Structures are given as structure tokens and as C-alpha cells.
Amino acid sequence: MPRTKGDHEARRRDVSEAVWQVMATRGFAGLTLRAVAAELGATTGLLTHYFPTKNALVAYALDLLEQRTISRPRRHTGEGLAALRDALLDILPLTPEAIDSNRIWVSSWDAALSDPALSTDYARKYAQSRNGLSERVAAAQKLGELPPGDPAHIAAGAQFFVLGLVVQALFDPAAFPPQRQVELLDDYLATLTARTDPTTITRDDPGGGL
Amino acid sequence: MPRTKGDHEARRRDVSEAVWQVMATRGFAGLTLRAVAAELGATTGLLTHYFPTKNALVAYALDLLEQRTISRPRRHTGEGLAALRDALLDILPLTPEAIDSNRIWVSSWDAALSDPALSTDYARKYAQSRNGLSERVAAAQKLGELPPGDPAHIAAGAQFFVLGLVVQALFDPAAFPPQRQVELLDDYLATLTARTDPTTITRDDPGGGL
């Protein structure tokens, strides 16, 4: 029987799923044609049809990671602070799928930091993500849900907090189960809500630094 | 001339430095006997004397990372909040040496997440680091520099914030030069100083979540 376009598409989906599973289990360091072939129950020879080189496999994996991140379902529970909370919850490893994709993102940092072009691309993506958060911060301020302050500054802090929580939750899922992650995030947001303008704070400057 | 113990020690230092430089430039994914040999200006054969296998090289590199982290100089500018700030500044990539070691730490997460024993070890180290921060938070509370609240909770938040900032500063050093990192950290600490007890905050719960 001749192969149909449907066969081809189905096979592509199987290959994508196998690449994803290898990355979720072994990270980028463990992403090899051999590992993907084993996951797929295929020969390494078949895989070279899709990925002639290791670099082609890595490029495909990075593209798959971005596509799955872009197309993942997002929360939409409200405006302002609720929308900010939604965006931050969307990042956290609260479900098996989100655990896998976060684990793959964190794993990809090694490859990205070693490659100047990729590193620039990651920097651009994270800046874009901060811009999105910043818009939500500004909207929350307009609604009076957050006190005044530079939205970009507040958005950066929220991004740092969530990324650090992601890393810790991946290393220690027992200490940071989903409910605990949400509690920690909500406490962080409560801190933002309660903050006074830092320029008005007089505190003992410890005078340390660089 | 016979080799002396001094020669041997000097050679070991050279090997350590070469392993460090390869990790700082190429990450764990680029850590190979061949790369270390090239950095050292030696043959791969010589390297196999030190590292019979790739695993031996990785184990050595992880040990080197831990030893250099433990023995790095620390800030001691004061007690309480100043000591908390010192500990957080000690983590940030504010100097070329701290940039290298942070880049290596972030790079090692891929390997660590793929290895259950290593992952457990990392979780333990990060928990220990949170405990250290927690003691400083409690001391700052005793001095009245920080409002009441669970010190472990506040320490975890500070750790997340700093780890996230580390990752962003590595990807985008132009956006996060040392001075900007310190400003962002000080603003975060100002938020903690200004916070009211979250249990007393009544805010519109967006009701989203899992």
C-alpha cells in the first residue's frame, strides 16, 4: 500500500512526541538520535531521515518546545491583578504537562547559554514575557489593585520570583507541590499589593554592595 | 629530572582551571575530554590519566563547582537585614568570577535534573541555603528590621527572586548589569520591609488557580 499524507502526519506526531518524552526524561544532554529511536521503537536509520545531524535534532526540539509553549492553554479568570496572577500561574509546574515543559525549558538553558544567537533569542523572549507581565501590572494599577511604581520593575520581580520557584519545584516536588506553589505565589502577590512606594521608605541602608 | 610533588599539584591546578574554563564557556553539554585537553594544551591521552571516563570528568566538575562555591569570599557588612542582603548579593553574578560560577550552576541543572541522586542532592543544598537565609530573616525580625511572618516563607521567596534574577542576568547582561541587579534586589528587600502581614490583607481573590 502506498503511504498517504495522513500516515506521514501521524508519523511526524509520533516523532515529536518521542523527542518530547526524551527531553522531559533526560534533558537536552540526553537528547540523541539513539534515545529518540528507542522511545519511538524505530531504527536510528529511520530517524536520520528526519534529522540528518544532531544539530537538526536540537533545532527541532527547541522549535517543538516553543510551539508547545505558545499553544498551551491559558487561564483567563479576569482583568488586572487576576490577569497577572493567571499569567504567572500559567508558567508554574502545576500539572504533569507543565512539569515536563518547565523541565525542558530549564534543561535548554545550558544549550542556550553556550550559543550566542540562541542566548540573544532567549533574552528577547524573556524580555517579551516581562513586557506582557508589565502590561498586566499597569492594568492592575489602573484598577487600584496595585500601588503605584514602575510596572516594568514590578513585572521583572514577578518573573524572577516565578522562575526561581519553577527551578526549586523541579528539584524538590515534595517540598513544593502545586498547592504550595500557589500559596507562595499568592503570598508574593499579597506583598506587592501591600507594598508602599519604595522611594518613600526610609530604611537603614546596610551600605554593603559591590 | 624526576617529577616532584609540587609539579603534580601544579598540574592538578591547571587541570581544574581548564575544566572550569570549558564549563564557563560551553556548559556541561560542552564538557568533553577533548575540550579540556585543548584548553590545557595537552593530549586527550594525558587527560584519561585523570579522568578514565566521561562520568569521572562530570563528577570532578560538579565537585569543583561545589568546592569553589563553598570557598568563595563572602560579604560580612552587618547583622540582620544587612546579613540577609549580603547572602543574596553573594549569589548574584556581579563579578566575572560570579558570572562564571552562576553560568556553570545553571548549566549543571540539566545534568542534575536527569539524575535522581544528583537531583536529591541539589534539593538538599537549596533547602540548606533557604535555612541559612531563614536564620537571617529571623534575626532581622528580632531587630525589628523586617515585619513578622514565617521566616522560612520569606527566605524561600528571596531565594526564588535571586535565582530568577541570576538566570535573566546570564541571558541578558546588557539589561541587567551589576548596578541594576543590586537596585532590583534592594527594591525587593524594600518590599519585604514594607510588607504587612499577608493574613491581614483583604484583597479581591481572583479565584483562578488549578
Side-chain angles (χ1 to χ4, degrees), chain A residues 26 103 107 110 114 195, chain B residues 26 103 107 110 114 187 195:
Chain A
R26 310 189 191 189
R103 193 245 176 280
S107 155
D110 185 18
S114 310
R195 75 177 277 161
Chain B
R26 310 188 191 191
R103 193 244 175 279
S107 154
D110 185 18
S114 310
D187 189 41
R195 76 178 274 159

Side-chain angles (χ1 to χ4, degrees), chain B residues 129-201:
Chain B
S129 169
R130 280 194 296 278
N131 287 342
L133 294 175
S134 188
E135 284 170 19
R136 293 176 188 224
V137 167
Q141 289 174 324
K142 256 194 192 158
L143 292 170
E145 295 173 324
L146 283 178
D150 183 351
H153 209 130
I154 297 168
Q159 184 190 49
F160 302 158
F161 177 89
V162 164
L163 285 183
L165 174 50
V166 163
V167 172
Q168 292 307 311
L170 290 176
F171 276 116
D172 204 344
F176 302 104
Q179 194 191 330
R180 173 88 176 134
Q181 292 180 50
V182 176
E183 280 169 16
L184 285 162
L185 174 63
D186 280 337
D187 189 41
Y188 179 78
L189 291 174
T191 307
L192 291 186
T193 317
R195 76 178 274 159
T196 48
D197 186 337
T199 58
T200 66
I201 296 168

